[in-house]
Amino acid sequence: MFITKVTIFPKSMYLFLFVISILNGIIISYYINYIIGLTTFWLQEFWYIYFFQVSFFTLFGATVVPLWFYPKVLLQISNVLPFKYAIFEPVNIYLEKISFHQSIVVIVIQVVWLIILISLSSFIWEKAKKKVIIQGG
Amino acid sequence: MAYYPYFPFLFYMGKGQKESDYSGRLIILLYLRFIKLRFQSIIEYRGAFVAGVIAQIFYYAVFFSLIWIMISHFKTMNGWKPMEVMFLYALNLLSYSISACFVFLPFVNLPQLIQSGEFDAVCIKPMNPFLFLVTSNFNVAYLAHFSLSLAVMIFCIIQLKIAINWLTFFLLIIFILGAGLIQASAMLITSIPAFWIIQNTGLQSVFFFELKAFIQYPLSLYNRIIQIFFTFIIPYAFINFYPAQYFLKKNDFLMFHPSFQFLTPFVGLLLFFLAYRFWLLGLKNYQSTGS
């Protein structure tokens, strides 16, 4: 009803860009989950991680409702966070929703986010190493 | 192992049961004691508890806002306004949080208890094993869901201008408790097969957690087969869809009778009775894994 055009198989150029961006997306989501997981060093439990992970990705990563439905404020917040670069933007490239130049920009932003996330995670890891509590069994 | 067939009916003592091992006062005291112990074990990991409460409030707030975003975009959903759908979801979450406080931990972990052999320890306690499991596993973390969904529900009631008098207030509480019983029985029924097949996480996640996604939206959206399925076969529609008809003054009874809006408490009691009989059947067939 709402979908006017569905791309079953994109042009080879977009497919190539999609593969690169989805690989970046997988690494980005890995590092985000890893950083959320590292908080265990301070809190000693981990059952809450799932809730944070799912809610961050559904709200800011637009895995359930696409971003163009969002009200303006929420859209602006999502645009400055890394979550939408994990799944939403690669899917946009696959569906040819954005132009070739915009796709290149997306991939560049993904790489910038990757650098930020990797350095942040190694910074937290350095802090965490000093914080280890050995539970007695 | 003692066999307690009549537990759901207000501590009724069946034939051959002694009063001493089954007094209501003793059980309530024991329950308070267990809750105190749970609190103490939570205080041990205070940071994690706070993080978990924040996480859960955030998680459900996200789902509330997604419903809001989606339905605001399409203006109405088959005649249901965003606030009304939020009310549906709040009913669902509120009754879930009440029932999950009591039955989530024991019955989601039942397969693990059986697999690891810890269930043997439950069987040799000098009290009803069902009651022991429920009382010793009170989950305080559901206060997060409870307060969030209560706040959303009050907000919806004010926004939708639902008249609250003694009758509607009483009915609202009765309906929420009935819906809670439905959810509790569903959790029980989906975890009890673990007595035979040991591992049942898939069963529970499909038939309880995933199927419940259908009742986030009004049942009148779906086609007839799904409507009949959620009314008679897996009666999740009684958790929120039919009770909401009464409060929202709707007339969406699909092809059923308008009296369905009052059936929730009876469906809840019936299902809980069936779930308890099923539990007894499972308990009879319990074999220790010997590990």
Side-chain angles (χ1 to χ4, degrees):
Chain A
M1 201 160 32
F2 310 108
I3 301 160
T4 46
K5 178 192 134 201
V6 178
T7 318
I8 304 298
F9 206 69
K11 292 190 205 89
S12 57
M13 199 57 205
Y14 280 101
L15 194 64
F16 177 67
L17 289 175
F18 167 73
V19 170
I20 295 176
S21 64
I22 195 74
L23 285 176
N24 282 340
I26 291 168
I27 306 173
I28 285 177
S29 65
Y30 168 80
Y31 271 100
I32 291 170
N33 290 335
Y34 176 54
I35 289 170
I36 300 174
L38 277 178
T39 57
T40 315
F41 278 100
W42 285 269
L43 301 175
Q44 288 130 49
E45 284 240 34
F46 59 88
W47 57 271
Y48 57 86
I49 289 171
Y50 164 81
F51 290 96
F52 273 126
Q53 189 187 323
V54 172
S55 42
F56 278 136
F57 277 99
T58 35
L59 186 63
F60 301 121
T63 49
V64 178
V65 180
L67 269 183
W68 53 80
F69 285 6
Y70 277 33
K72 210 175 169 200
V73 183
L74 210 53
L75 185 65
Q76 281 166 344
I77 298 173
S78 313
N79 280 339
V80 296
L81 290 174
F83 302 101
K84 73 166 187 168
Y85 294 99
I87 295 165
F88 182 71
E89 290 295 350
V91 169
N92 262 346
I93 294 174
Y94 186 88
L95 296 174
E96 299 181 29
K97 290 254 178 205
I98 52 178
S99 69
F100 179 77
H101 290 287
Q102 282 171 315
S103 312
I104 299 289
V105 172
V106 163
I107 290 173
V108 171
I109 296 175
Q110 278 185 328
V111 173
V112 173
W113 266 118
L114 266 181
I115 294 165
I116 296 172
L117 287 172
I118 290 172
S119 40
L120 185 65
S121 70
S122 60
F123 173 73
I124 298 176
W125 172 239
E126 287 305 316
K127 289 257 170 196
K129 276 199 283 194
K130 293 172 192 147
K131 184 64 195 169
V132 179
I133 299 171
I134 311 281
Q135 302 274 39
Chain B
M1 178 177 59
Y3 184 67
Y4 299 89
Y6 298 110
F7 156 68
F9 299 102
L10 299 171
F11 307 115
Y12 170 77
M13 268 157 290
K15 279 179 201 160
Q17 281 180 297
K18 281 191 253 94
E19 196 171 349
S20 56
D21 59 303
Y22 209 33
S23 125
R25 193 175 143 269
L26 191 72
I27 285 166
I28 289 165
L29 281 178
L30 200 61
Y31 201 177
L32 291 177
R33 181 90 186 157
F34 277 134
I35 289 177
K36 197 182 157 206
L37 288 176
R38 294 275 318 163
F39 264 113
Q40 282 169 346
S41 69
I42 285 161
I43 285 168
E44 195 72 10
Y45 301 100
R46 199 176 296 144
F49 180 68
V50 172
V53 166
I54 293 170
Q56 281 173 326
I57 287 184
F58 189 54
Y59 179 83
Y60 284 102
V62 164
F63 280 92
F64 273 118
S65 48
L66 282 184
I67 289 176
W68 177 256
I69 289 168
M70 205 139 89
I71 301 166
S72 308
H73 187 83
F74 298 123
K75 302 296 183 268
T76 78
M77 195 177 250
N78 211 6
W80 288 66
K81 292 196 280 296
M83 272 296 162
E84 294 172 337
V85 182
M86 300 259 280
F87 183 76
L88 269 187
Y89 195 62
L91 260 180
N92 174 11
L93 190 59
L94 192 62
S95 54
Y96 170 69
S97 68
I98 292 171
S99 62
C101 265
F102 302 100
V103 297
F104 182 83
L105 276 186
F107 286 96
V108 168
N109 293 334
L110 186 68
Q112 267 167 289
L113 288 182
I114 291 173
Q115 205 170 11
S116 66
E118 283 170 79
F119 195 78
D120 291 358
V122 176
C123 290
I124 56 166
K125 293 283 187 296
M127 68 185 285
N128 183 340
F130 181 85
L131 218 49
F132 175 77
L133 271 180
V134 170
T135 52
S136 59
N137 285 295
F138 185 79
N139 193 346
V140 194
Y142 279 97
L143 290 177
H145 301 56
F146 183 78
S147 41
L148 177 75
S149 50
L150 192 65
V152 172
M153 180 173 272
I154 291 171
F155 181 68
C156 288
I157 285 175
I158 293 168
Q159 289 286 311
L160 290 166
K161 300 192 175 63
I162 297 171
I164 290 291
N165 50 38
W166 284 110
L167 177 69
T168 48
F169 183 68
F170 175 73
L171 278 178
L172 185 62
I173 289 177
I174 293 289
F175 285 163
I176 290 169
L177 292 180
L181 276 181
I182 296 177
Q183 306 231 23
S185 338
M187 257 186 272
L188 252 70
I189 290 172
T190 50
S191 67
I192 290 167
F195 280 115
W196 290 275
I197 57 176
I198 310 295
Q199 192 47 262
N200 75 327
T201 355
L203 197 71
Q204 190 158 42
S205 72
V206 169
F207 283 100
F208 186 66
F209 295 105
E210 303 297 326
L211 267 191
K212 250 178 45 182
F214 274 95
I215 61 164
Q216 281 179 13
Y217 302 107
L219 197 67
S220 45
L221 285 182
Y222 307 113
N223 71 25
R224 285 194 158 212
I225 296 166
I226 294 177
Q227 289 169 356
I228 293 172
F229 182 77
F230 282 104
T231 307
F232 293 114
I233 299 173
I234 297 185
Y236 289 161
F238 286 100
I239 293 172
N240 59 3
F241 182 71
Y242 293 117
Q245 305 284 336
Y246 176 79
F247 296 104
L248 304 176
K249 305 264 184 302
K250 292 238 164 219
N251 219 346
D252 263 355
F253 293 106
L254 320 171
M255 53 276 190
F256 307 115
H257 194 263
S259 66
F260 270 47
Q261 62 187 317
F262 301 110
L263 284 186
T264 300
F266 305 106
V267 173
L269 284 174
L270 177 71
L271 271 183
F272 193 67
F273 172 74
L274 291 177
Y276 190 70
R277 300 306 300 187
F278 189 36
W279 156 262
L280 291 177
L281 192 68
L283 206 56
K284 257 188 174 172
N285 281 286
Y286 172 62
Q287 287 177 330
S288 187
T289 49
S291 49

